[in-house]
Amino acid sequence: MSAIAERVKQIIVEKLGVEESEVTQEANFQNDLGADSLDTVELIMEFEKEFNLSIPDDQAENIGTVGQAVAYLEENVK
Amino acid sequence: MSFKRVVITGMGALTPIGNDVSTYWKNLVAGVSGAAPITRFDAEKFRTKFACEVKGLDIHDYIPRQEARKMDPFTQYAVIVSDEAMKDAGFGEGSLNLDKAGVIWGSGIGGLKTFEDEVLNFAANNMTPRFNPFFIPKMIADSASGVLSIRHGFRGPTFITVSACASATNALIDAFNYIRLGMMDVCISGGSEAAVTCAGVGGFNALKALSERNDSPQTASRPYDKDRDGFVLGEGGAAIILEEYEHAKARGAKIYAEMVGAGMSSDAYHITAPHPDGLGAYNVIKNVVESAGIKPEQIDYINTHGTSTPLGDPQELKAIEQFFGDHAPKINISSTKSMTGHLLGGAGAIEAAACIMAIQDQIVPPTINHFTADPTINPDLNLTFNKAQKRQVNYALSNTFGFGGHNASVIFKKLES
């Protein structure tokens, strides 16, 4: 697992209070990990803070799963 | 139409001198002070460096971390005390019509800590607007009533009353009235406050409202003492379950006391100072006694607002003397803020609980920290100095007065068996 993926997982475990084993690539924040829309907004903000970047709203809308978050960050984090 | 009767069937408390009702009450009767140096933030530069904080509390023993972090401390306190009160009330499966169960809560300020943290974070990050999505729902004062409604599934009227230090009493009054009118069967009422923060202490310091007796925090809250120098900020809250009498009887509920009176008035004078003639205080006492339909001579105990401020204390007593006349010296009067500090919007809730327990146990908690008599206070009044007093308590009255000139009082009655 990449360093980015590991940090993403830790943020999700911390913010959503889920077990590490639940945070699979396919896991959807809202459908699988119990997040509501506000939790999702907060998660995106945490990613922005952790990786020091800004995720535009139209991009953020496409980040619904753990894998999508990792892929976006791996592509955009310098 | 005739009003329905309203009784108290459950209580929960989280206070600077005890994290449940029984510990709180035991320490009130024993005359324990809850004051100590401030631990919530570094108060070194503040004029007042002590407060009455809730102690030894691990929020996560009560609320899972993921839920707790979406609540301001004043809401966490509300959850903890409402859980205790609901358990105490012991509603069995199917004993509640949730559509007729409400939550009417009081808080003077709401989520002050949340507001502070978010703005400090904004300032620390070059004023870049990165506010947390939970900021607003955590901070707004009604969030406590919303969270309690969701937690207990109560779908009747739910809201917050805000009238500074009278907030929780106003909540009790609204709950009482809605139940009297038949609009609710049951209500979780009470109030909570969590204002021991840098803005809370700094703000009240700027008003010169707080005691600055930093060398002796435990004797700083000394209502009616000649050398009182301001109130001591407290935090916490209490939940009181109000229930329609027949509803409580039908389910065989344990009944602590009956709520029989609700009075309100306003000073219409000054945003922070009390009316110099104690006019609002006199009127609220008159209104609450009339509302209870009893004679003034029937009042046994008054839990005063008595915050330990130079101006406020004597004016309330003046109003009591004016209204009760010859009966005034026969009443046990005490300010339990001498022990708990001033919980602001939560004060009316923990003090209502004190009145209800005084009726239960037939004992009046003291006004501690009395050292020197104030020559402006009538020595014939029984201010229950320093030691609890056993006596017959059939009717207990609780006064609360808030900035803005809001006055609210309630009367509880021992239920005849």
Side-chain angles (χ1 to χ4, degrees):
Chain A
M1 189 184 293
S2 74
I4 286 178
E6 187 54 41
R7 280 153 75 192
V8 165
K9 185 190 247 186
Q10 287 315 314
I11 289 170
I12 294 168
V13 167
E14 155 84 19
K15 289 292 168 194
L16 301 184
V18 291
E19 296 297 324
E20 279 197 30
S21 57
E22 297 174 72
V23 189
T24 59
Q25 290 294 303
E26 301 73 33
N28 183 289
F29 300 139
Q30 299 203 26
N31 299 337
D32 303 317
L33 301 177
D36 64 18
S37 59
L38 291 181
D39 291 309
T40 311
V41 174
E42 193 188 31
L43 271 184
I44 297 291
M45 287 182 59
E46 282 300 314
F47 297 149
E48 290 180 329
K49 200 163 105 189
E50 175 74 16
F51 298 102
N52 194 26
L53 82 171
S54 176
I55 306 175
D57 283 353
D58 57 344
Q59 301 290 314
E61 279 164 20
N62 298 325
I63 302 176
T65 67
V66 178
Q68 285 164 349
V70 172
Y72 179 86
L73 291 166
E74 284 181 338
E75 193 164 315
N76 291 281
V77 173
K78 294 184 182 76
Chain B
M1 69 176 281
S2 65
F3 285 137
K4 294 179 186 297
R5 293 171 66 185
V6 181
V7 292
I8 312 304
T9 56
M11 291 196 287
L14 179 64
T15 74
I17 57 168
N19 296 352
D20 54 49
V21 171
S22 68
T23 313
Y24 165 55
W25 177 241
K26 184 171 68 76
N27 286 332
L28 265 192
V29 171
V32 173
S33 165
I38 288 171
T39 66
R40 296 271 183 267
F41 64 96
D42 180 1
E44 190 44 45
K45 291 184 193 158
F46 287 66
R47 295 168 72 105
T48 297
K49 305 178 204 319
F50 63 96
C52 286
E53 295 178 348
V54 167
K55 295 161 194 71
L57 178 75
D58 186 348
I59 295 289
H60 306 125
D61 289 346
Y62 300 83
I63 313 168
R65 222 168 56 84
Q66 294 316 311
E67 285 179 53
R69 73 180 188 84
K70 296 177 188 174
M71 301 173 192
D72 184 87
F74 94 101
T75 300
Q76 295 171 348
Y77 297 167
V79 165
I80 292 169
V81 296
S82 77
D83 282 359
E84 184 189 355
M86 283 295 286
K87 194 172 162 212
D88 186 35
F91 295 110
E93 192 70 32
S95 71
L96 275 179
N97 174 356
L98 294 169
D99 292 330
K100 290 193 77 176
V103 180
I104 305 181
W105 203 248
S107 183
I109 303 180
L112 186 60
K113 175 79 166 65
T114 299
F115 189 87
E116 261 176 45
D117 288 349
E118 287 290 322
V119 176
L120 286 172
N121 184 48
F122 173 62
N125 289 291
N126 276 328
M127 306 282 190
T128 308
R130 295 169 74 90
F131 289 91
N132 188 287
F134 296 105
F135 166 32
I136 299 292
K138 261 173 86 170
M139 179 269 293
I140 48 180
D142 71 285
S143 63
S145 58
V147 165
L148 296 192
S149 159
I150 294 163
R151 188 172 185 89
H152 302 290
F154 283 19
R155 296 187 298 253
T158 64
F159 58 91
I160 282 263
T161 54
V162 180
S163 49
C165 306
S167 298
T169 309
N170 275 114
L172 289 167
I173 291 173
D174 279 10
F176 173 63
N177 282 331
Y178 285 132
I179 295 173
R180 283 208 292 182
L181 290 168
M183 294 168 70
M184 289 193 285
D185 297 330
V186 168
C187 186
I188 302 174
S189 188
S192 58
E193 203 79 79
V196 184
T197 69
C198 49
V201 174
F204 282 114
N205 263 161
L207 286 166
K208 304 232 188 295
L210 297 182
S211 168
E212 296 177 17
R213 199 177 294 277
N214 292 308
D215 58 351
S216 182
Q218 299 215 329
T219 68
S221 185
R222 50 174 80 188
Y224 314 119
D225 185 272
K226 181 170 164 287
D227 300 317
R228 65 188 180 275
D229 72 328
F231 75 81
V232 177
L233 189 56
E235 61 166 4
I240 313 278
I241 306 287
L242 269 58
E243 185 168 357
E244 193 270 316
Y245 176 59
E246 296 298 335
H247 190 274
K249 232 172 49 174
R251 68 180 185 90
K254 163 190 67 188
I255 296 174
Y256 284 98
E258 180 169 3
M259 183 165 169
V260 292
M264 292 172 278
S265 78
S266 298
D267 282 10
Y269 170 70
H270 186 275
I271 198 72
T272 59
H275 192 285
D277 301 327
L279 180 68
Y282 176 87
N283 284 339
V284 78
I285 294 168
K286 179 172 177 281
N287 292 343
V288 75
V289 170
E290 283 179 6
S291 138
I294 59 173
K295 296 193 204 70
E297 296 77 51
Q298 289 177 275
I299 296 291
D300 302 300
Y301 170 44
I302 299 178
N303 186 302
T304 53
H305 188 57
T307 58
S308 185
T309 57
L311 277 183
D313 290 7
Q315 262 138 25
E316 182 178 10
L317 294 183
K318 211 190 296 176
I320 288 171
E321 286 191 78
Q322 236 178 14
F323 179 75
F324 289 99
D326 291 345
H327 181 63
K330 297 176 192 148
I331 302 171
N332 264 87
I333 298 169
S334 73
S335 168
T336 46
K337 289 187 180 80
S338 57
M339 296 170 273
T340 61
H342 188 358
L343 268 65
L344 307 178
I350 66 165
E351 289 159 24
C355 286
I356 293 161
M357 289 308 296
I359 287 170
Q360 268 282 300
D361 286 4
Q362 300 286 292
I363 188 165
V364 171
T367 306
I368 66 163
N369 292 329
H370 184 66
F371 303 100
T372 313
D374 176 344
T376 69
I377 289 174
N378 180 356
D380 291 342
L381 293 177
N382 180 1
L383 295 165
T384 324
F385 282 134
N386 297 335
K387 252 188 88 111
Q389 292 178 12
K390 279 191 187 302
R391 73 164 287 161
Q392 193 166 347
V393 185
N394 289 328
Y395 287 92
L397 188 162
S398 169
N399 275 340
T400 53
F401 312 142
F403 279 178
H406 320 293
N407 311 301
S409 302
V410 290
I411 293 176
F412 300 98
K413 178 193 177 189
K414 183 179 163 64
L415 200 73
E416 288 103 17
S417 44

